[in-house]
Amino acid sequence: MTLFESLRHNRRAAIGAMLFLGILLAVLPFTVGSMMGNSWLRILDFALLYIMLALGLNIVVGFAGLLDLGYIAFYAVGAYFYALLASPHFGLHLPVWLIIPGGAMLAGLFGIILGAPTLRLRGDYLAIVTLGFGEIVRIFMNNLNAPINITNGPQGISGIDPINMGGVTLAKPIEFVGITIPSLHAYYYLFLGLALLIVFVSIRLEDSRIGRAWVAIREDEIAAKACGINTRNIKLLAFAMGASFGGVAGGLFAGFQGFVSPESFSLMESVMVLCMVVLGGMGNIPGVILGGILLTLLPEAFRHGAGPVQMALFGKILLDPEALRMLAFGLALIVVMLYRPAGLWPSSTRRREFKGEGA
Amino acid sequence: MSALLLEAKGVAKHFGGVKALHDVSLSIRKGEIYGLIGPNGAGKTTFFNVLTGLYHPDGGEIVFAGEKLKASAPHEAAARGIARTFQNIRLFANMTARENVMVGRHVRTSAGVMGAVLCDRRTRAEEAAIHRRAEELLYYVGVADRADDLAKHLSYGDQRRLEIARALATDPQLLALDEPAAGMNSTETEGLRRLVEGIRADGITVLLIEHDVKLVMGLCDRVAVLDYGQKISEDVPSIVQKDPRVIEAYLGGAVA
Ligand SMILES: Nc1ncnc2c1ncn2[C@@H]1O[C@H](COP(=O)(O)OP(=O)(O)OP(=O)(O)O)[C@@H](O)[C@H]1O
Ligand SMILES: [Mg+2]
């Protein structure tokens, strides 16, 4: 962390580090793909989607301090928007460059619609109401198959168009200046690009008039009002921004999977994204990214590793890897919250806060 | 007589059976330091809260700079030029001193999401101006050396001064201070007196709630006294001090 801060002051070191990181990110899918296989490449792609989600939720929870337990609803909105407009379900096949931004905007609008009734609520009450809203959206997706079939109910929508950019579909290997880029790699680069864009927007927002207003509301809403902040609008803006990131991730998810169903948008998913934000370090962008990566990769590592390890040790599988995975996840949560209450990588101010309390 | 800046007309505020403010009328002139005193629970803070739009009044109205103030719209009160501090300091505890003052500039600046993301020339200029103004104000109130410390790690007196800097950052016409000297020692109080006089010299009208009678009587041009939600006296300090009702209700031993 001191390394990270010193990079801020040393320009050449910073450029060097960026270059290194850039190369690392560029070759990552090839390394992972050849060494660990396609299932891990898929997981890598999902990690990028979760980073986008975690950064979106971080705006609402981390910056503005509004505890939202229904965030996955916006992921669902983005995903269904894509699924309905680019699949045989309605026979529509709109282009990606329309659907992804459109999904972001629609999710943002949903952020405002679902945020507006909660403006006077704080803390636990806000959490409960947003949890309810999240479930309502999922239940709507589940039941909007009658009388008119809009969402195809619990069966979900399948056969969704893969992402197609300027006539090049990402579903098949792409020939590019003599190199073949397999589909999972191509999705990786697309997701990486959009995740970086979201990181960039988050960083710019954090260090701006709007970002300061969000934090001011988190710190003391009454004082924020007295400073002339229109807390209603600024909170709605946080909901809308956060939701639009979720909408982007949702659209990409639909195109990547080729299939969406309400099951993918359960409360557990909201909780998972919230854990990424909280464990990583609420309000700190690098921390939230770290949280997104760890909480996608570690449970998968556990799932893949728990079976073979047990076979090697005991010659048979004693504990179901799936159950073990949740157990380990719960334990990890408790340990982190006990020993690093501000998250794994808290912002420098939060770190000072927890130290300051002891001093 | 200079022009009126603020005129409260029959302002009332009840909490259940408690009449925290009962038909309070008072007028503050441009450029004066106006004291609001009274025993605990007299309704002074409640008056501030109505004035700054945090409470909705149950009666009456407030005219500010010739126009009626909208009730219950705190951010609009700030935009109109009313800034305040709080009796129980309300800083943004986990923001630095500098950031606290920068938030105060919110109401006078306009960059939105687009500006923040694109960081265009106008936004950059605005940000630079916010930084400069925050720096100036921190220096003005005397906490420049703590600019990068979290607000909550500042000493009590520094926190009170920082709150004033944040209020000044909104470019107010009227600065309302709720017991700014509470908990300060005599040197700090003397510094505060000079600060308030300087603020007035800059053309900002000051409304001051304070229990330190010596400070109030020395600093204020005029003083109003509240008791059980009612104004019982309003005049220059020398007259208010001799008002038998005021002596009975509030000053008591302090003057006798
Ligand atoms: N939010 C509230 N709810 C209920 N009663 C309140 C509220 N705010 C103030 N009061 C009551 O209104 C009366 C006036 O309170 P206020 O805080 O305005 O007094 P004050 O003059 O500022 O006193 P002090 O010198 O102790 O700060 C008190 O009786 C108080 O209990
Ligand atoms: Mg008070």
Side-chain angles (χ1 to χ4, degrees), chain A residues 215-227:
Chain A
V215 177
I217 290 174
R218 177 188 84 199
E219 290 295 312
D220 191 323
E221 194 167 343
I222 289 175
K225 283 180 180 170
C227 285

Side-chain angles (χ1 to χ4, degrees), chain A:
Chain A
M1 273 160 260
T2 39
L3 172 78
F4 186 72
E5 267 150 26
S6 68
L7 284 181
R8 286 197 164 168
H9 300 291
N10 186 340
R11 220 191 150 86
R12 270 176 60 190
I15 292 172
M18 292 283 260
L19 217 62
F20 175 72
L21 194 66
I23 294 170
L24 188 76
L25 288 174
V27 301
L28 192 61
F30 289 96
T31 330
V32 170
S34 62
M35 285 169 60
M36 302 162 84
N38 276 351
S39 67
W40 276 97
L41 258 180
R42 283 185 68 79
I43 293 165
L44 202 59
D45 289 350
F46 269 105
L48 289 167
L49 290 180
Y50 277 110
I51 288 173
M52 296 182 211
L53 287 174
L55 285 170
L57 186 60
N58 181 51
I59 292 201
V60 183
V61 180
F63 292 168
L66 303 162
L67 185 49
D68 186 345
L69 280 182
Y71 180 71
I72 213 69
F74 309 120
Y75 189 49
V77 168
Y80 268 88
F81 187 73
Y82 189 109
L84 294 175
L85 296 183
S87 71
H89 183 60
F90 285 146
L92 293 171
H93 300 279
L94 298 187
V96 175
W97 58 265
L98 259 179
I99 314 179
I100 299 286
M105 282 203 282
L106 185 69
L109 188 67
F110 264 80
I112 292 173
I113 293 169
L114 297 187
T118 69
L119 287 174
R120 287 167 173 275
L121 305 175
R122 285 202 76 87
D124 318 0
Y125 300 98
L126 178 62
I128 289 168
V129 172
T130 51
L131 185 154
F133 280 155
E135 285 296 280
I136 287 170
V137 168
R138 186 180 61 81
I139 291 166
F140 258 95
M141 305 298 180
N142 225 345
N143 292 290
L144 277 182
N145 52 348
I148 336 165
N149 185 1
I150 300 175
T151 63
N152 210 23
Q155 285 91 26
I157 298 171
S158 51
I160 299 169
D161 300 350
I163 293 176
N164 180 319
M165 301 211 302
V168 182
T169 172
L170 300 196
K172 296 198 195 85
I174 300 167
E175 294 292 337
F176 181 69
V177 289
I179 334 169
T180 312
I181 303 174
S183 169
L184 285 172
H185 297 54
Y187 274 109
Y188 168 88
Y189 290 120
L190 174 66
F191 290 2
L192 179 66
L194 285 167
L196 288 176
L197 180 69
I198 283 176
V199 171
F200 174 78
V201 171
S202 292
I203 291 175
R204 279 279 166 92
L205 281 176
E206 182 183 29
D207 197 17
S208 75
R209 170 174 177 266
I210 301 293
R212 284 190 298 269
W214 282 333
V215 177
I217 290 174
R218 177 188 84 199
E219 290 295 312
D220 191 323
E221 194 167 343
I222 289 175
K225 283 180 180 170
C227 285
I229 293 172
N230 183 336
T231 52
R232 183 196 53 188
N233 290 0
I234 295 288
K235 278 185 185 182
L236 286 180
L237 188 59
F239 280 122
M241 281 310 295
S244 68
F245 291 3
V248 171
L252 296 174
F253 168 72
F256 179 55
Q257 283 286 84
F259 170 71
V260 295
S261 76
E263 242 176 83
S264 307
F265 311 106
S266 64
L267 173 63
M268 194 55 208
E269 288 289 305
S270 283
V271 171
M272 202 66 188
V273 178
L274 185 65
C275 283
M276 293 172 182
V277 175
V278 174
L279 280 189
M282 251 201 293
N284 189 37
I285 293 165
V288 171
I289 296 171
L290 179 70
I293 296 172
L294 287 182
L295 286 193
T296 319
L297 298 191
L298 289 183
E300 291 298 331
F302 222 88
R303 177 153 59 192
H304 284 75
V309 168
Q310 286 188 62
M311 283 304 271
L313 284 179
F314 314 114
K316 61 179 176 188
I317 292 186
L318 292 171
L319 289 165
D320 172 26
E322 193 62 25
L324 259 181
R325 184 172 74 108
M326 290 318 285
L327 185 71
F329 179 58
L331 277 176
L333 263 183
I334 293 170
V335 169
V336 171
M337 284 297 106
L338 277 178
Y339 292 101
R340 293 194 71 90
L344 292 170
W345 190 346
S347 69
S348 48
T349 45
R350 281 206 166 231
R351 210 158 53 238
R352 263 182 275 165
E353 166 188 347
F354 277 93
K355 273 193 198 141
E357 235 90 88

Side-chain angles (χ1 to χ4, degrees), chain B residues 45 87 178-179:
Chain B
T45 299
Q87 182 170 352
D178 197 344
E179 302 196 18

